[in-house]
Amino acid sequence: MKFRKVAFITIGCKVNFYDSEAMAELFKEAGYEVVGHTEAADVYVVNTCTVTNIGDKKSRQAIRRAKRLNPKAVVVAAGCYTQTAPEEIASIEGVNILIGTNLRSRIVETVEGYSGEGVINLVGDIMKVKDFERLKIDTLKNRTRAYIKIQEGCNRFCSYCMIPFARGSVRSRDLEDILSEVRALSENGFKEVVLTGIHVASYGIDKKDIGLSDVLREVSKIGGIERIRLSSVEPTIITDEFLKTLSELPKMCRHFHLSLQSGCDKTLKAMNRRYTAEEYCKAVCKLRSLWEDCAITTDIIAGFPGETEEDFEESLAFADKCKLVKIHAFPFSPKIGTRAAAMEGQLPQSIKQERVRRLIVLSEKNAFEFLRGLKGKDYEVLFEEKISEGVYKGHTSNYVCVTASSPENIINKALKVRIGDIINSETVFGDIVTD
C-alpha cells in the first residue's frame, strides 16, 4: 500500500524525540509529507514511553486518539512501551504495526507492505541486539540546537527503572557515523549540538580504545559547530582525566545535568545507583574548579520506598549544599516489573507530593541565587527564536535563558549580551553589547 502523509506522536525523553525525527526523515526520503500530530494523516507513528505508569497511559491514549483522527489510517506503535509490553499494545483497538526499539529503519517498508489486516509485530528480544541501529538526522526545522544520538541501551539496572528492559544493553554508535551526522547538520546551519543517548557516559564500553572523551574531541574539530552539550550523565564520569579533556575544548558548554536521584546514601543503595553522595559532591566541585559559573542541574526522586523523613531531609540538605541550579523533582512512581515496585515501605502520594514541593522550593531559591550572581556580566548568547516584535530569546553556554531586543533578525546568531534583571527562575533580560 502507498500512502502520502505521516504524523508522529512522541511521548517521553529527548532520545525518543530523536528517534521520531530520524524515522520521519526516512518517510520524507520515501516521498511522504510529515504533518502535525493533530492533522489527518495516512500513517500515525506513536513513539511510546514506559518510564512511568503515566507514560504507559499517555501512550495508550495517543494510539486511540490517532485512530479517531483517521479510522482508515495505519497506526504504528514504536518505542519503549511497545518493546516491553507488545501483547498489551497489540490488544489496543486500531494498532496495526508494532516496532519497539529496534528495526525502526524498516518502518517505511513495513508500512508500505501492510495488507490492511491483522497486526504486524516486529518486536524481538532486545537483549540479544548487540549493534547500534543506524538512524540519522540531517535537517531539523525551526531549530538552532541539534540532538545527536551517540549510544543506545543501559547496563545499570537501577531498581526503579525499566529502561534496560526496553532499550537493551549498551551499544555505541561508530565515531565516523557520528561525525558524518554532525558535519551534515553543520552544513545545514546548526551551531550547537547536544550529544544524547540512553546512558551517554557508557559510550565506548562495548568498543575498543574509545570513549566519550574521544567523541567530544573529534566533534569539536568540526567547523561551524560552536557549542557542544551533553545530555544527562552520571557523576562517575567526572574524573580528572575527563576534566582535562573538557579544559582543552573551548566549545564545551558550561552546563551539566548530573543525575543524582537522592542525596542520601541509604536511598542511593536501595536504588542501585553506583555512587555515593560524597562522590557526587566531588564531581560537582571538580566541574566548578574548571568553571566557577558552571550550571549543574539534576533529577531527584522523592518518596522512594523506605525513605524516612530523616532520609529525605538528608537528601534535601545535600542538594542545598551542592547549590544545584535546577532540580527536576519527581514523586516515586512504582513501575510494575521493577524491583522498587515490590519493595516494602511504599509511601502515600501525599507524602511524596509534599517532598516534591519542598524540592521545588529549594530549586527556585538556588536558581535565583545563581542568576543574581550573573547580573552585570557579559555572556555569549546563541539566539534561537523570536518571541515578539523585536524581542528574541536564546541561551548562554551555562543554559541561562536570555531575552534581548534587536531591530534585526538575530536567530541563530551568537552575540555578546550583558545580563540584566531576572524575569523568573530560568530567564533574564539582557542587553546586546555593541562595542
Side-chain angles (χ1 to χ4, degrees), residues 363-393:
S363 178
E364 293 274 308
K365 177 182 80 73
N366 286 351
F368 278 108
E369 186 177 317
F370 180 76
L371 295 179
R372 281 193 292 270
L374 304 182
K375 189 171 182 179
K377 296 179 180 179
D378 293 347
Y379 280 86
E380 185 183 80
V381 175
L382 179 59
F383 286 95
E384 298 152 20
E385 63 178 299
K386 181 179 179 179
I387 56 175
S388 63
E389 191 59 40
V391 181
Y392 295 83
K393 180 175 76 173

mmCIF file of all heavy atoms in Angstrom, residues 363-393:
data_model
loop_
_atom_site.group_PDB
_atom_site.id
_atom_site.type_symbol
_atom_site.label_atom_id
_atom_site.label_comp_id
_atom_site.label_asym_id
_atom_site.label_seq_id
_atom_site.Cartn_x
_atom_site.Cartn_y
_atom_site.Cartn_z
ATOM 1 N N SER A 363 14.884 24.390 44.694
ATOM 2 C CA SER A 363 15.345 24.611 43.323
ATOM 3 C C SER A 363 15.175 26.075 42.922
ATOM 4 O O SER A 363 16.079 26.689 42.343
ATOM 5 C CB SER A 363 14.572 23.702 42.358
ATOM 6 O OG SER A 363 14.971 23.917 41.023
ATOM 7 N N GLU A 364 14.021 26.650 43.236
ATOM 8 C CA GLU A 364 13.757 28.050 42.909
ATOM 9 C C GLU A 364 14.742 28.972 43.639
ATOM 10 O O GLU A 364 15.276 29.921 43.062
ATOM 11 C CB GLU A 364 12.320 28.411 43.286
ATOM 12 C CG GLU A 364 11.258 27.709 42.456
ATOM 13 C CD GLU A 364 10.960 28.460 41.172
ATOM 14 O OE1 GLU A 364 10.676 29.662 41.232
ATOM 15 O OE2 GLU A 364 11.034 27.829 40.106
ATOM 16 N N LYS A 365 14.975 28.693 44.916
ATOM 17 C CA LYS A 365 15.902 29.503 45.708
ATOM 18 C C LYS A 365 17.300 29.476 45.089
ATOM 19 O O LYS A 365 17.940 30.523 44.897
ATOM 20 C CB LYS A 365 15.959 28.993 47.151
ATOM 21 C CG LYS A 365 16.962 29.740 48.042
ATOM 22 C CD LYS A 365 17.020 29.158 49.435
ATOM 23 C CE LYS A 365 17.870 27.907 49.530
ATOM 24 N NZ LYS A 365 19.329 28.181 49.450
ATOM 25 N N ASN A 366 17.789 28.278 44.763
ATOM 26 C CA ASN A 366 19.132 28.145 44.199
ATOM 27 C C ASN A 366 19.236 28.802 42.825
ATOM 28 O O ASN A 366 20.260 29.389 42.472
ATOM 29 C CB ASN A 366 19.515 26.668 44.098
ATOM 30 C CG ASN A 366 19.837 26.046 45.438
ATOM 31 O OD1 ASN A 366 19.947 26.753 46.451
ATOM 32 N ND2 ASN A 366 19.983 24.736 45.470
ATOM 33 N N ALA A 367 18.162 28.690 42.042
ATOM 34 C CA ALA A 367 18.166 29.277 40.697
ATOM 35 C C ALA A 367 18.289 30.796 40.767
ATOM 36 O O ALA A 367 19.098 31.402 40.043
ATOM 37 C CB ALA A 367 16.900 28.878 39.945
ATOM 38 N N PHE A 368 17.493 31.429 41.621
ATOM 39 C CA PHE A 368 17.555 32.889 41.750
ATOM 40 C C PHE A 368 18.931 33.333 42.263
ATOM 41 O O PHE A 368 19.477 34.339 41.812
ATOM 42 C CB PHE A 368 16.448 33.400 42.676
ATOM 43 C CG PHE A 368 15.113 33.543 41.999
ATOM 44 C CD1 PHE A 368 14.072 32.661 42.264
ATOM 45 C CD2 PHE A 368 14.895 34.560 41.076
ATOM 46 C CE1 PHE A 368 12.845 32.789 41.633
ATOM 47 C CE2 PHE A 368 13.663 34.699 40.441
ATOM 48 C CZ PHE A 368 12.635 33.811 40.714
ATOM 49 N N GLU A 369 19.478 32.569 43.191
ATOM 50 C CA GLU A 369 20.803 32.893 43.714
ATOM 51 C C GLU A 369 21.852 32.826 42.605
ATOM 52 O O GLU A 369 22.727 33.694 42.499
ATOM 53 C CB GLU A 369 21.148 31.905 44.844
ATOM 54 C CG GLU A 369 22.450 32.221 45.565
ATOM 55 C CD GLU A 369 22.695 31.244 46.709
ATOM 56 O OE1 GLU A 369 21.731 30.936 47.452
ATOM 57 O OE2 GLU A 369 23.852 30.793 46.852
ATOM 58 N N PHE A 370 21.763 31.816 41.771
ATOM 59 C CA PHE A 370 22.697 31.652 40.654
ATOM 60 C C PHE A 370 22.569 32.813 39.666
ATOM 61 O O PHE A 370 23.569 33.402 39.235
ATOM 62 C CB PHE A 370 22.422 30.318 39.953
ATOM 63 C CG PHE A 370 23.320 30.041 38.776
ATOM 64 C CD1 PHE A 370 24.637 29.641 38.955
ATOM 65 C CD2 PHE A 370 22.843 30.166 37.485
ATOM 66 C CE1 PHE A 370 25.461 29.381 37.873
ATOM 67 C CE2 PHE A 370 23.654 29.903 36.394
ATOM 68 C CZ PHE A 370 24.976 29.512 36.589
ATOM 69 N N LEU A 371 21.335 33.166 39.317
ATOM 70 C CA LEU A 371 21.106 34.238 38.341
ATOM 71 C C LEU A 371 21.557 35.597 38.861
ATOM 72 O O LEU A 371 22.087 36.424 38.111
ATOM 73 C CB LEU A 371 19.631 34.285 37.944
ATOM 74 C CG LEU A 371 19.089 33.063 37.186
ATOM 75 C CD1 LEU A 371 17.614 33.225 36.878
ATOM 76 C CD2 LEU A 371 19.878 32.823 35.901
ATOM 77 N N ARG A 372 21.370 35.841 40.161
ATOM 78 C CA ARG A 372 21.815 37.110 40.744
ATOM 79 C C ARG A 372 23.332 37.259 40.608
ATOM 80 O O ARG A 372 23.841 38.372 40.423
ATOM 81 C CB ARG A 372 21.403 37.203 42.215
ATOM 82 C CG ARG A 372 19.944 37.595 42.420
ATOM 83 C CD ARG A 372 19.664 37.990 43.860
ATOM 84 N NE ARG A 372 19.755 36.863 44.764
ATOM 85 C CZ ARG A 372 18.734 36.058 45.084
ATOM 86 N NH1 ARG A 372 17.534 36.282 44.554
ATOM 87 N NH2 ARG A 372 18.899 35.055 45.921
ATOM 88 N N GLY A 373 24.038 36.134 40.656
ATOM 89 C CA GLY A 373 25.489 36.167 40.535
ATOM 90 C C GLY A 373 25.976 36.481 39.127
ATOM 91 O O GLY A 373 27.153 36.793 38.927
ATOM 92 N N LEU A 374 25.082 36.389 38.136
ATOM 93 C CA LEU A 374 25.464 36.656 36.751
ATOM 94 C C LEU A 374 25.180 38.093 36.327
ATOM 95 O O LEU A 374 25.687 38.542 35.294
ATOM 96 C CB LEU A 374 24.700 35.709 35.807
ATOM 97 C CG LEU A 374 24.826 34.206 36.059
ATOM 98 C CD1 LEU A 374 24.050 33.443 34.998
ATOM 99 C CD2 LEU A 374 26.285 33.776 36.062
ATOM 100 N N LYS A 375 24.380 38.807 37.098
ATOM 101 C CA LYS A 375 23.950 40.145 36.693
ATOM 102 C C LYS A 375 25.148 41.070 36.473
ATOM 103 O O LYS A 375 26.075 41.126 37.277
ATOM 104 C CB LYS A 375 23.006 40.736 37.751
ATOM 105 C CG LYS A 375 22.357 42.038 37.298
ATOM 106 C CD LYS A 375 21.271 42.493 38.266
ATOM 107 C CE LYS A 375 20.608 43.777 37.753
ATOM 108 N NZ LYS A 375 19.537 44.231 38.654
ATOM 109 N N GLY A 376 25.094 41.783 35.349
ATOM 110 C CA GLY A 376 26.154 42.729 35.013
ATOM 111 C C GLY A 376 27.312 42.113 34.255
ATOM 112 O O GLY A 376 28.197 42.833 33.769
ATOM 113 N N LYS A 377 27.329 40.794 34.128
ATOM 114 C CA LYS A 377 28.412 40.115 33.412
ATOM 115 C C LYS A 377 28.026 39.899 31.945
ATOM 116 O O LYS A 377 26.846 39.840 31.604
ATOM 117 C CB LYS A 377 28.734 38.779 34.073
ATOM 118 C CG LYS A 377 29.261 38.931 35.495
ATOM 119 C CD LYS A 377 29.536 37.575 36.129
ATOM 120 C CE LYS A 377 30.064 37.739 37.561
ATOM 121 N NZ LYS A 377 30.303 36.427 38.206
ATOM 122 N N ASP A 378 29.035 39.770 31.095
ATOM 123 C CA ASP A 378 28.810 39.567 29.667
ATOM 124 C C ASP A 378 28.921 38.087 29.314
ATOM 125 O O ASP A 378 29.882 37.418 29.716
ATOM 126 C CB ASP A 378 29.831 40.357 28.845
ATOM 127 C CG ASP A 378 29.651 41.861 28.974
ATOM 128 O OD1 ASP A 378 28.599 42.283 29.493
ATOM 129 O OD2 ASP A 378 30.557 42.602 28.568
ATOM 130 N N TYR A 379 27.927 37.620 28.571
ATOM 131 C CA TYR A 379 27.903 36.225 28.122
ATOM 132 C C TYR A 379 27.528 36.175 26.646
ATOM 133 O O TYR A 379 26.748 36.997 26.164
ATOM 134 C CB TYR A 379 26.882 35.403 28.929
ATOM 135 C CG TYR A 379 27.384 34.968 30.270
ATOM 136 C CD1 TYR A 379 27.266 35.800 31.382
ATOM 137 C CD2 TYR A 379 27.998 33.735 30.437
ATOM 138 C CE1 TYR A 379 27.741 35.416 32.623
ATOM 139 C CE2 TYR A 379 28.475 33.329 31.674
ATOM 140 C CZ TYR A 379 28.345 34.171 32.764
ATOM 141 O OH TYR A 379 28.823 33.784 33.990
ATOM 142 N N GLU A 380 28.068 35.189 25.967
ATOM 143 C CA GLU A 380 27.643 34.954 24.586
ATOM 144 C C GLU A 380 26.316 34.201 24.622
ATOM 145 O O GLU A 380 26.164 33.206 25.321
ATOM 146 C CB GLU A 380 28.680 34.128 23.841
ATOM 147 C CG GLU A 380 28.356 33.959 22.364
ATOM 148 C CD GLU A 380 29.364 33.083 21.648
ATOM 149 O OE1 GLU A 380 29.251 31.841 21.757
ATOM 150 O OE2 GLU A 380 30.267 33.638 20.995
ATOM 151 N N VAL A 381 25.356 34.707 23.863
ATOM 152 C CA VAL A 381 24.033 34.082 23.787
ATOM 153 C C VAL A 381 23.784 33.642 22.344
ATOM 154 O O VAL A 381 23.962 34.425 21.414
ATOM 155 C CB VAL A 381 22.927 35.068 24.234
ATOM 156 C CG1 VAL A 381 21.539 34.448 24.042
ATOM 157 C CG2 VAL A 381 23.133 35.475 25.687
ATOM 158 N N LEU A 382 23.406 32.386 22.174
ATOM 159 C CA LEU A 382 23.004 31.898 20.862
ATOM 160 C C LEU A 382 21.486 32.041 20.783
ATOM 161 O O LEU A 382 20.750 31.342 21.491
ATOM 162 C CB LEU A 382 23.413 30.435 20.673
ATOM 163 C CG LEU A 382 23.027 29.786 19.344
ATOM 164 C CD1 LEU A 382 23.622 30.534 18.159
ATOM 165 C CD2 LEU A 382 23.448 28.319 19.310
ATOM 166 N N PHE A 383 21.022 32.955 19.946
ATOM 167 C CA PHE A 383 19.585 33.248 19.886
ATOM 168 C C PHE A 383 18.861 32.209 19.026
ATOM 169 O O PHE A 383 19.326 31.830 17.950
ATOM 170 C CB PHE A 383 19.362 34.672 19.372
ATOM 171 C CG PHE A 383 19.704 35.712 20.392
ATOM 172 C CD1 PHE A 383 20.967 36.306 20.406
ATOM 173 C CD2 PHE A 383 18.795 36.062 21.374
ATOM 174 C CE1 PHE A 383 21.302 37.246 21.373
ATOM 175 C CE2 PHE A 383 19.118 37.002 22.345
ATOM 176 C CZ PHE A 383 20.381 37.594 22.341
ATOM 177 N N GLU A 384 17.707 31.787 19.544
ATOM 178 C CA GLU A 384 17.021 30.635 18.965
ATOM 179 C C GLU A 384 15.655 30.951 18.377
ATOM 180 O O GLU A 384 15.210 30.277 17.446
ATOM 181 C CB GLU A 384 16.849 29.552 20.047
ATOM 182 C CG GLU A 384 18.169 29.037 20.586
ATOM 183 C CD GLU A 384 18.068 28.544 22.013
ATOM 184 O OE1 GLU A 384 16.939 28.251 22.459
ATOM 185 O OE2 GLU A 384 19.111 28.479 22.688
ATOM 186 N N GLU A 385 14.976 31.943 18.922
ATOM 187 C CA GLU A 385 13.635 32.217 18.410
ATOM 188 C C GLU A 385 13.195 33.649 18.701
ATOM 189 O O GLU A 385 13.697 34.306 19.611
ATOM 190 C CB GLU A 385 12.618 31.236 18.996
ATOM 191 C CG GLU A 385 12.449 31.323 20.492
ATOM 192 C CD GLU A 385 11.383 30.360 21.002
ATOM 193 O OE1 GLU A 385 10.211 30.507 20.584
ATOM 194 O OE2 GLU A 385 11.730 29.484 21.805
ATOM 195 N N LYS A 386 12.236 34.101 17.903
ATOM 196 C CA LYS A 386 11.623 35.414 18.087
ATOM 197 C C LYS A 386 10.377 35.227 18.935
ATOM 198 O O LYS A 386 9.516 34.406 18.614
ATOM 199 C CB LYS A 386 11.256 36.001 16.722
ATOM 200 C CG LYS A 386 10.621 37.374 16.763
ATOM 201 C CD LYS A 386 10.340 37.854 15.341
ATOM 202 C CE LYS A 386 9.688 39.228 15.334
ATOM 203 N NZ LYS A 386 9.434 39.695 13.946
ATOM 204 N N ILE A 387 10.286 35.959 20.043
ATOM 205 C CA ILE A 387 9.133 35.763 20.927
ATOM 206 C C ILE A 387 8.105 36.888 20.800
ATOM 207 O O ILE A 387 6.962 36.728 21.208
ATOM 208 C CB ILE A 387 9.578 35.592 22.398
ATOM 209 C CG1 ILE A 387 10.422 36.773 22.880
ATOM 210 C CG2 ILE A 387 10.351 34.299 22.556
ATOM 211 C CD1 ILE A 387 10.771 36.698 24.359
ATOM 212 N N SER A 388 8.510 38.029 20.247
ATOM 213 C CA SER A 388 7.578 39.119 19.934
ATOM 214 C C SER A 388 8.317 40.078 19.001
ATOM 215 O O SER A 388 9.496 39.869 18.689
ATOM 216 C CB SER A 388 7.103 39.837 21.203
ATOM 217 O OG SER A 388 8.179 40.446 21.871
ATOM 218 N N GLU A 389 7.662 41.100 18.568
ATOM 219 C CA GLU A 389 8.286 42.020 17.619
ATOM 220 C C GLU A 389 9.534 42.662 18.223
ATOM 221 O O GLU A 389 9.474 43.358 19.230
ATOM 222 C CB GLU A 389 7.284 43.115 17.211
ATOM 223 C CG GLU A 389 7.755 43.942 16.028
ATOM 224 C CD GLU A 389 8.015 43.107 14.787
ATOM 225 O OE1 GLU A 389 7.219 42.166 14.515
ATOM 226 O OE2 GLU A 389 9.018 43.371 14.104
ATOM 227 N N GLY A 390 10.678 42.382 17.600
ATOM 228 C CA GLY A 390 11.934 42.958 18.052
ATOM 229 C C GLY A 390 12.512 42.347 19.306
ATOM 230 O O GLY A 390 13.499 42.857 19.851
ATOM 231 N N VAL A 391 11.943 41.234 19.796
ATOM 232 C CA VAL A 391 12.440 40.587 21.013
ATOM 233 C C VAL A 391 12.772 39.125 20.702
ATOM 234 O O VAL A 391 11.956 38.394 20.133
ATOM 235 C CB VAL A 391 11.416 40.660 22.169
ATOM 236 C CG1 VAL A 391 11.989 39.995 23.424
ATOM 237 C CG2 VAL A 391 11.048 42.109 22.459
ATOM 238 N N TYR A 392 13.976 38.712 21.113
ATOM 239 C CA TYR A 392 14.463 37.368 20.795
ATOM 240 C C TYR A 392 14.914 36.651 22.064
ATOM 241 O O TYR A 392 15.254 37.287 23.066
ATOM 242 C CB TYR A 392 15.622 37.460 19.796
ATOM 243 C CG TYR A 392 15.202 38.019 18.463
ATOM 244 C CD1 TYR A 392 15.119 39.405 18.269
ATOM 245 C CD2 TYR A 392 14.854 37.189 17.407
ATOM 246 C CE1 TYR A 392 14.708 39.936 17.051
ATOM 247 C CE2 TYR A 392 14.443 37.708 16.190
ATOM 248 C CZ TYR A 392 14.374 39.078 16.021
ATOM 249 O OH TYR A 392 13.958 39.593 14.814
ATOM 250 N N LYS A 393 14.921 35.328 21.961
ATOM 251 C CA LYS A 393 15.288 34.510 23.113
ATOM 252 C C LYS A 393 16.387 33.536 22.723
ATOM 253 O O LYS A 393 16.380 32.983 21.624
ATOM 254 C CB LYS A 393 14.063 33.731 23.617
ATOM 255 C CG LYS A 393 14.334 32.854 24.822
ATOM 256 C CD LYS A 393 13.050 32.205 25.325
ATOM 257 C CE LYS A 393 12.611 31.044 24.442
ATOM 258 N NZ LYS A 393 11.470 30.307 25.024
#
